[in-house]
Amino acid sequence: GDRAIQSLVGVSPVLPRESGNYGNGLTIALTYDLLRDHPTWTPDMRARIGLTLRRMIKETLLLLDGDSPSMWHGRFQLGCSAWLVAAALDVESWENDKAMFAQVQRHFIESLRAIQITGGWPEGYNYWINSRAFTFVLAATAHINAVDAPELNEELRAALETVGLWTIHGTEPVGRFTLFGDTGPRADLKDETQRIIDIIGVVTGKDVFRDYSRYLTGLHGREAYYAPYRWGVPLFRGLPDRDFAPSEALDSLRLLQGRLPTSAVFGREGLGHVFSRSDWGLDATHLSFQAGHTFANHGHYQNGHFTLSKGKTALALTSGTYGDYFDSHRLDYYIRTVAANSLLVVRP
C-alpha cells in the first residue's frame, strides 16, 4: 500500500482532450479511492492528490462547457469521467467547491439523459464495451453511493439495468453481440463485458446479471476478464470468491427462460433497437431490427436493417468489415444501406 501511494503521488497528470485521449484523471481518482484509508497518507500527500484531481476537473470542464466534444464520441465520456474525479475528492473539497461540483454533476446528468434516449450505444457494441461502459457504470455507482438524491439515483439504476438488458438481449446464440455500426473484435463478449455486467448486477441486485456473468464464464473461462482487470473481480462482483466454480458456469442462456421476455425494444423513441428470439436456448432463432435514428459518426445508415440467426448459423447478417475509418470499403460500402438488409430507395 505504501509503495502504491508513493507511485500515485508521483504520477504526472495527462490532461483530457475532446476525443481519443480523455486523460488519466479517472485512473488517479479510482486509485486514490481504493487507497484512501491506508495509514501512511500524510496531509501534504493528500493535498497534492487533491490539487491534481481539481486540475483534471477544471480542464475537463473547459471542454464540456465548450462546443468541441460531440456527445457520442467524447462528451458522454468526459461527463462521466469528471463526475468520477469529483466523487474521489475529500469531503472538505465538496464543501468548499459546491458550485464546481454542481457544474460537474450537470454534465454527468447530460450523459445519463443521452443513454436514456438510446437505451444502448449507437456507435456499435465494440465502442460501448471498450471505451464507454466502464466509465459510465462506475460514475453511476459513484453517484448512487455519494449523493442523497433518491429519484435521480433510481433513474441511474434503471439506466444501468437497461444497458445490461440491452447486452443480454443483443447476445446471439453463437455467443456474440449482434453486429451493427463500426464493429470491432469485442463483440465476442470477451475481456470487457463481464466486469460491466458484474457491477450492474451488484448495483441493481438483479440475479439475471449474475447468471449472464456465469454464461460469460462458460463462453470464455477466466478470459472473460481481461487479465490486468482480474484484481477487481471480488470488488466488481461483490463476492468473496475470485472466479465462478466450473460447476456454476453456463453453456447457454436457458436459465433465463421465463425470467426475461423473449423480445425487447431499446430506445423506442431514439435508437430503436429491437431484439427477439424464439427462446433462450442454444438452438434459438434470434432476430435483431433497427428502427430508429442515426446518432453518431460510428453509426451506419441502417434504419430498417435486420439480422437473423438460427442457433450458431447466421442466416441474414451485417456485411462489411471495420478497418481504417476513412478507407473506401467503409465510406463507400460498409456504412451505407447497400451493406444492410434494408430497403434502398434509389433516386435519379
Side-chain angles (χ1 to χ4, degrees), residues 22-99:
Y22 303 105
N24 61 354
L26 187 153
T27 303
I28 296 172
L30 180 58
T31 308
Y32 181 50
D33 190 62
L34 291 169
L35 295 170
R36 185 189 300 272
D37 293 330
H38 196 275
T40 60
W41 281 100
T42 66
D44 178 66
M45 292 160 68
R46 289 191 189 276
R48 289 172 64 184
I49 289 295
L51 287 173
T52 298
L53 294 177
R54 284 169 58 85
R55 183 184 179 193
M56 300 300 289
I57 291 173
K58 289 180 178 180
E59 293 289 339
T60 306
L61 286 175
L62 285 175
L63 296 171
L64 287 169
D65 289 339
D67 296 328
S68 56
S70 61
M71 171 54 75
W72 302 107
H73 213 64
R75 185 170 292 277
F76 180 93
Q77 180 87 357
L78 290 166
C80 295
S81 296
W83 176 253
L84 278 167
V85 174
L89 278 166
D90 294 325
V91 174
E92 293 78 12
S93 296
W94 283 68
E95 291 300 319
N96 295 331
D97 294 299
K98 289 182 178 178

Side-chain angles (χ1 to χ4, degrees), residues 201 204-214 255-256 259:
T204 64
K206 302 289 185 179
D207 288 341
V208 292
F209 298 117
R210 175 173 168 79
D211 289 332
Y212 184 74
S213 183
R214 291 166 60 193
L255 203 61
L256 301 181
R259 296 165 60 198

